[in-house]
Amino acid sequence: LGSYGGENSPDDISRGLFAGELTRLPFRRCAVTSQRCVPRSTPTRGLRGSYVTNVVAYVTVALVAAVVTMVLNRPARRISLALGYTAEPDERKVHQYVTPYGGGGAMFVGLCVGVVVAMAIPALRSVITASHEMLGVVLAAGVMFVVGIVDDFRDMSPPAKTAGMGLAATVLYFAGATMFQLKLPFAGFIVLGP
């Protein structure tokens, strides 16, 4: 019906939404005079600068979480071996040697540290504190971590594991976690909703 032109193309707007730097302006009329188009938006800062700032912030959080996970993996391995928290080789397992568990604990701590670091970065603080979704993600990851530990110590039945996953999904749901679209690098947005 109506079309964007110039600086307000859909790609510019989606990049601006990604950066969280938009100011809404009044609706403008579409080609059909009885309908209104999507509101025009103009960035308050240059799109390129805010986009780079956010990418650096996200990469920083990912690197911190990865480094924390990697550093904690060795102590987790030693503690697992000392406690006998290991997977013994058998006909159902792929590995041929005793394999210590505990990597999940390092990953969970890495996730939590990553969230704390994200809250400390001004460009990401509003993303974390704007809703309860991130709290839901951390709690759901905690539920899955506990289910994994219980399953490692005593084999859980498939229905029990599924119940644990359902509990984690329920935590996400009640925390308000939603995913309407998926942004793939170099491919754009994929709309998941109707």
Side-chain angles (χ1 to χ4, degrees):
L1 295 172
S3 63
Y4 290 99
E7 64 189 34
N8 293 320
S9 69
D11 287 340
D12 285 347
I13 290 174
S14 66
R15 278 192 294 265
L17 285 173
F18 176 70
E21 299 287 337
L22 291 181
T23 304
R24 296 279 179 206
L25 296 177
F27 282 95
R28 66 178 190 175
R29 295 285 175 194
C30 290
V32 178
T33 57
S34 63
Q35 296 181 348
R36 296 193 311 183
C37 290
V38 175
R40 283 197 297 177
S41 301
T42 56
T44 55
R45 286 195 307 179
L47 287 174
R48 184 173 208 100
S50 60
Y51 179 77
V52 169
T53 302
N54 281 340
V55 168
V56 169
Y58 284 116
V59 168
T60 300
V61 170
L63 285 176
V64 166
V67 167
V68 167
T69 301
M70 187 176 67
V71 167
L72 290 179
N73 226 356
R74 286 212 184 263
R77 177 183 172 85
R78 274 190 246 120
I79 291 169
S80 295
L81 287 171
L83 295 176
Y85 182 46
T86 58
E88 302 293 330
D90 63 17
E91 65 278 352
R92 286 184 25 181
K93 306 250 168 73
V94 177
H95 56 273
Q96 298 174 357
Y97 306 101
V98 174
T99 305
Y101 293 123
M107 291 173 66
F108 182 66
V109 172
L111 170 72
C112 293
V113 170
V115 170
V116 170
V117 168
M119 289 178 67
I121 297 174
L124 299 180
R125 186 176 301 125
S126 64
V127 174
I128 302 293
T129 60
S131 71
H132 298 291
E133 290 180 8
M134 187 51 68
L135 176 63
V137 169
V138 172
L139 291 175
V143 168
M144 290 308 302
F145 173 63
V146 169
V147 168
I149 287 177
V150 171
D151 183 46
D152 291 341
F153 276 112
R154 49 177 272 184
D155 288 330
M156 292 176 68
S157 66
K161 291 180 196 176
T162 304
M165 288 186 270
L167 178 61
T170 303
V171 168
L172 283 173
Y173 174 78
F174 283 110
T178 56
M179 189 172 215
F180 296 112
Q181 60 189 5
L182 180 65
K183 183 174 194 297
L184 298 176
F186 310 110
F189 285 97
I190 297 175
V191 178
L192 301 174

